[in-house]
Amino acid sequence: MKTLNLSDKNHMKGIAVSKGVAVGKAYLLDHSKLSILKQTLEEHEVENEIERFRNAIAKTKLQMADIKNRAEKIADKYAVILDTYTLLLDDDILVNDTIKNIRANRTNAEWTLNQTLETFLNLFDNINDDYLKGKKDDLDLLVQAILRNLMGHSQETLSDIQEPVILVTHSLSPSDTLSMPRKFIKGLATETGGKTSHVGIFAAALGIPAVTGIKELTSQINSGDKIIVDGIDGEVIIHPTDENTDHFLTKQENYRRYEERLLVNIHQSAETLDGHQIHLLANIESNQEAKTLYKYGAEGVGLYRTEFLYMSASSLPNEKELYENFKYVAQEMVDKPLVIRTLDIGMDKQLSGIQTHTEDNPALGLRGIRLSLAQPDLFFSQLKGILRASFYGHVKILYPMISSVTEIIQANELLQKAKDTLKKEQIPFNEHIQIGAMIETPAAAICVDHILEHVDFISIGSNDLIQYLLAIDRVNENVAHLYQPFHPSVIRSLKQIFNAANNAGKKISICGELGGDPMATMLLMGLGKIDNLSMEPHSIPKVKKIIRLIRLEEARQLADHVLNLKSVEEVSRFIANEMRARFPDDFDRDLSFQEKLKPA
Ligand code: PEP
Ligand code: MG
């Protein structure tokens, strides 16, 4: 697509979190913070103050529960994210530190809570970690909600909006997102938040074009200003000229039609022109997503990341709760596969109460299967939960972060024990449940032939495999530009893994982001025989479209050529040119691939 000449002042770059284009009037939501005064209490007033604080916490909890209930009706995935807020309200440090300090300093609850928040935010500022930065916004929003309850302010609401607008704000709280009249919100632009923030997930679930992470956005825009939000390329244009507006209206219409076309043939099989079929499955994080998968043509669940089930609960889920959760998804899938990955806690997915030590290098620490083997009781109850659900569908087990055959043997021993226990308890399960290993460490990639002897299938976790192969922390923004899926070492490793699985006659899937990146589809198909690609459900239509328009032989030729290229730049350029030439409608509009090549 032709690029426009836009002046820097009127053209702000951010992160594209929900695709589509919105053109309209800005509505500036001013989240200026409440002003808080310090008051010193008399000794006899302290306990009353603590009671007042506890009441405000209880009220905020009820509000959050209500928000969550409403959220479930709108976007299931979003509701899971909201559990974080409830967890923060139960958090010992936030609540107990404030109570301790009210007593110690004899200061009013508002002031003391705000001080606790400041201490936290300062701590977060010194940590260079995307995941924790996301939590910082959550914490800030939550404290504002408690403060409003303490000060008797009602929750801010957007329900007064009566006409179509583009919402512009520093940050958007869960209550904002739920109170806003969605039919009038045509686009969203925020200063905070990233792809996995609740704003991003919410906007994507509702199909509202959204751009986040735009510094100083709110100081440049007033309510009523004409703006454009381009959620495809991550831009906001302020006071567009007529020429700009025409350009983006065309882009908007083209994108709408494009999406419509993608969904038309969604229930056809993912089969190449020369008759080679693979299966496109969904990655899910909660059982509530199971119901919506058919919309995107998913042929089952290729990766159920179970750790969110633990992270969103106030106490560890027991065997029965796990069983019921898994059984629900298994039954929703009917005879389609459901691959349940055992707990992959660690690195950016921490769980207090399970991990007893903080680690200097959590990505290389006690994560995935290592943690499960170190805490066999936890693992055992999960295995029993999965086994019990296996009676109700086509359930498979997947072990994460495998780096040796020994870990599989040990995990399988526990699995056998779980089976023996269930037999004694006369609880039915599938005795022949299939076992898979994630191939996501270089050790597993190199010794994949050995691993294949102990499992029924393997699934490549490209997110971690790339991280460990290239020694690039996948959540560190300073090295994000070096996280390169098209690095020749990644492609060679994939080829070797495919060869080993194909020679062993075992099934192979890819469940990392690469599997759902349409730019990589042809390369992956050409590298070897793949059985399944598992991805975020909304990526399925585009990947399917590409598969249905290629011949396997062409994909093989492309892959053979790529295997001879020596630098990531050569590979990226070659693939981008090939894909753009073959699919001009599908790649010109999606520049996220190019973004990855830019230096920081
Ligand atoms: C992966 O590493 O590619 C993967 C699918 O697992 P996660 O992203 O949950 O680590
Ligand atoms: Mg992984």
Side-chain angles (χ1 to χ4, degrees):
M1 176 171 283
K2 175 168 84 101
T3 45
L4 278 190
N5 238 345
L6 296 156
S7 77
D8 276 354
K9 207 165 92 308
N10 292 342
H11 177 211
M12 305 185 86
K13 209 63 190 126
I15 306 165
V17 295
S18 176
K19 290 199 172 180
V21 176
V23 179
K25 234 196 283 179
Y27 180 97
L28 183 65
L29 174 67
D30 189 4
H31 259 318
S32 43
K33 295 208 176 149
L34 302 161
S35 50
I36 295 154
L37 297 176
K38 182 177 179 178
Q39 287 168 16
T40 309
L41 307 170
E42 298 294 329
E43 186 69 48
H44 69 273
E45 292 173 323
V46 168
E47 289 311 313
N48 275 352
E49 190 65 0
I50 291 173
E51 190 57 26
R52 197 169 71 84
F53 177 63
R54 286 194 201 279
N55 287 342
I57 295 285
K59 193 167 173 190
T60 316
K61 266 191 196 171
L62 287 178
Q63 286 162 346
M64 290 296 153
D66 176 52
I67 288 170
K68 191 184 167 224
N69 280 343
R70 282 187 284 147
E72 273 165 359
K73 295 192 184 103
I74 301 168
D76 299 336
K77 197 162 190 167
Y78 175 62
V80 178
I81 303 284
L82 291 178
D83 283 325
T84 315
Y85 290 81
T86 319
L87 283 180
L88 284 171
L89 282 168
D90 283 331
D91 184 274
D92 267 2
I93 308 172
L94 184 66
V95 177
N96 289 352
D97 270 15
T98 305
I99 293 178
K100 210 168 70 199
N101 290 333
I102 294 176
R103 279 209 182 95
N105 307 329
R106 282 206 268 128
T107 43
N108 56 324
E110 290 87 341
W111 174 267
T112 321
L113 173 64
N114 209 39
Q115 294 298 105
T116 317
L117 174 68
E118 293 296 320
T119 316
F120 263 106
L121 297 186
N122 286 341
L123 276 177
F124 280 50
D125 275 342
N126 295 326
I127 302 172
N128 205 352
D129 182 312
D130 270 355
Y131 181 74
L132 287 178
K133 276 189 189 141
K135 290 277 167 273
K136 181 174 146 176
D137 293 338
D138 287 344
L139 194 63
D140 195 8
L141 287 169
L142 188 68
V143 169
Q144 298 304 315
I146 305 169
L147 284 172
R148 277 190 211 105
N149 285 327
L150 274 169
M151 298 164 89
H153 286 254
S154 59
Q155 297 281 322
E156 264 191 88
T157 150
L158 292 162
S159 48
D160 296 341
I161 296 176
Q162 295 291 338
E163 55 174 355
V165 292
I166 296 176
L167 194 57
V168 176
T169 176
H170 171 69
S171 56
L172 204 65
S173 73
S175 55
D176 291 330
T177 38
L178 291 161
S179 63
M180 67 192 194
R182 286 181 304 283
K183 65 175 178 184
F184 291 135
I185 307 298
K186 298 297 168 204
L188 266 175
T190 65
E191 292 182 342
T192 60
K195 262 201 163 64
T196 55
S197 64
H198 82 263
V199 190
I201 291 169
F202 182 81
L206 293 180
I208 300 174
V211 180
T212 63
I214 313 173
K215 288 201 181 89
E216 292 170 26
L217 171 76
T218 53
S219 61
Q220 306 295 321
I221 298 179
N222 290 311
S223 282
D225 284 352
K226 184 171 177 187
I227 64 167
I228 295 171
V229 166
D230 176 357
I232 299 167
D233 292 327
E235 295 172 339
V236 170
I237 292 95
I238 309 165
H239 300 305
T241 61
D242 288 349
E243 190 204 357
N244 297 159
T245 307
D246 287 348
H247 170 87
F248 282 99
L249 284 174
T250 310
K251 189 169 181 175
Q252 180 186 54
E253 180 56 17
N254 287 346
Y255 189 73
R256 196 192 58 74
R257 285 199 203 153
Y258 171 73
E259 286 226 297
E260 226 172 59
R261 281 199 305 272
L262 276 183
L263 288 172
V264 168
N265 298 326
I266 197 59
H267 294 295
Q268 291 178 328
S269 60
E271 184 176 328
T272 60
L273 291 172
D274 43 356
H276 296 272
Q277 190 184 347
I278 68 167
H279 299 285
L280 302 185
L281 311 176
N283 292 352
I284 63 168
E285 272 106 51
S286 85
N287 62 345
Q288 297 155 19
E289 287 168 74
K291 262 200 174 1
T292 57
L293 299 183
Y294 75 95
K295 270 200 310 214
Y296 302 98
E299 298 169 83
V301 171
L303 174 68
Y304 183 1
R305 291 182 163 106
T306 56
E307 43 284 357
F308 292 92
L309 200 59
Y310 289 73
M311 290 163 76
S312 61
S314 47
S315 57
L316 291 180
N318 59 30
E319 177 194 317
K320 183 165 174 285
E321 286 162 332
L322 294 166
Y323 152 65
E324 280 166 0
N325 185 297
F326 300 150
K327 177 181 166 189
Y328 172 82
V329 187
Q331 287 181 323
E332 279 294 324
M333 290 302 110
V334 194
D335 55 349
K336 295 193 182 112
L338 161 61
V339 179
I340 303 180
R341 182 174 73 180
T342 61
L343 199 53
D344 188 15
I345 283 297
M347 212 185 85
D348 60 338
K349 288 174 277 185
Q350 299 288 330
L351 190 53
S352 56
I354 288 192
Q355 287 137 311
T356 43
H357 314 283
T358 46
E359 299 176 309
D360 285 342
N361 268 320
L364 305 181
L366 199 61
R367 65 168 294 209
I369 196 73
R370 303 169 189 180
L371 181 87
S372 293
L373 293 174
Q375 304 221 14
D377 290 348
L378 183 80
F379 192 35
F380 192 70
S381 70
Q382 194 181 32
L383 290 173
K384 275 183 84 190
I386 301 175
L387 281 171
R388 289 175 64 179
S390 71
F391 186 69
Y392 299 92
H394 188 8
V395 176
K396 306 180 191 191
I397 296 179
L398 181 60
Y399 299 139
M401 275 297 289
I402 290 294
S403 54
S404 76
V405 166
T406 315
E407 287 165 338
I408 302 175
I409 295 172
Q410 288 172 350
N412 279 344
E413 278 169 8
L414 268 168
L415 182 68
Q416 189 53 50
K417 256 195 200 161
K419 287 182 177 178
D420 294 343
T421 313
L422 285 174
K423 273 187 209 154
K424 272 194 209 124
E425 292 169 349
Q426 298 193 320
I427 297 176
F429 64 94
N430 173 12
E431 174 77 64
H432 306 291
I433 189 165
Q434 289 187 10
I435 306 300
M438 293 276 293
I439 304 298
E440 50 185 349
T441 65
I446 292 168
C447 293
V448 65
D449 49 337
H450 296 164
I451 288 174
L452 282 157
E453 290 174 16
H454 295 268
V455 293
D456 301 298
F457 68 97
I458 56 171
S459 189
I460 301 178
S462 55
N463 303 342
D464 278 314
L465 185 61
I466 296 167
Q467 148 164 282
Y468 296 120
L469 271 177
L470 304 184
I472 296 296
D473 180 349
R474 67 190 251 202
V475 293
N476 179 347
E477 64 201 17
N478 296 322
V479 286
H481 62 289
L482 297 173
Y483 185 91
Q484 292 153 330
F486 289 153
H487 192 292
S489 67
V490 174
I491 295 163
R492 273 196 190 178
S493 302
L494 293 175
K495 174 78 184 159
Q496 283 161 18
I497 300 168
F498 286 0
N499 280 351
N502 294 166
N503 288 340
K506 297 272 169 90
K507 298 250 184 233
I508 178 162
S509 308
I510 302 181
C511 62
E513 296 303 304
L514 191 61
D517 181 352
M519 191 60 97
T521 304
M522 206 167 158
L523 171 68
L524 296 176
M525 296 284 293
L527 281 174
K529 185 178 166 308
I530 316 173
D531 298 284
N532 308 302
L533 290 175
S534 192
M535 61 195 78
E536 292 306 317
H538 60 257
S539 302
I540 292 176
K542 192 159 167 182
V543 170
K544 183 177 284 184
K545 175 182 174 186
I546 289 169
I547 293 172
R548 290 183 59 80
L549 289 174
I550 58 172
R551 289 180 184 282
L552 193 63
E553 195 42 46
E554 294 169 316
R556 286 193 182 133
Q557 282 168 13
L558 178 136
D560 284 347
H561 183 82
V562 167
L563 280 164
N564 287 320
L565 301 176
K566 297 188 178 65
S567 72
V568 69
E569 290 75 19
E570 278 178 277
V571 177
S572 304
R573 205 175 307 115
F574 176 73
I575 293 183
N577 287 342
E578 282 287 319
M579 297 306 278
R580 292 213 167 94
R582 288 168 194 270
F583 305 97
D585 286 351
D586 299 277
F587 292 104
D588 272 347
R589 67 190 69 247
D590 187 351
L591 300 181
S592 56
F593 167 78
Q594 289 174 330
E595 297 290 313
K596 289 178 199 154
L597 294 180
K598 276 188 200 156

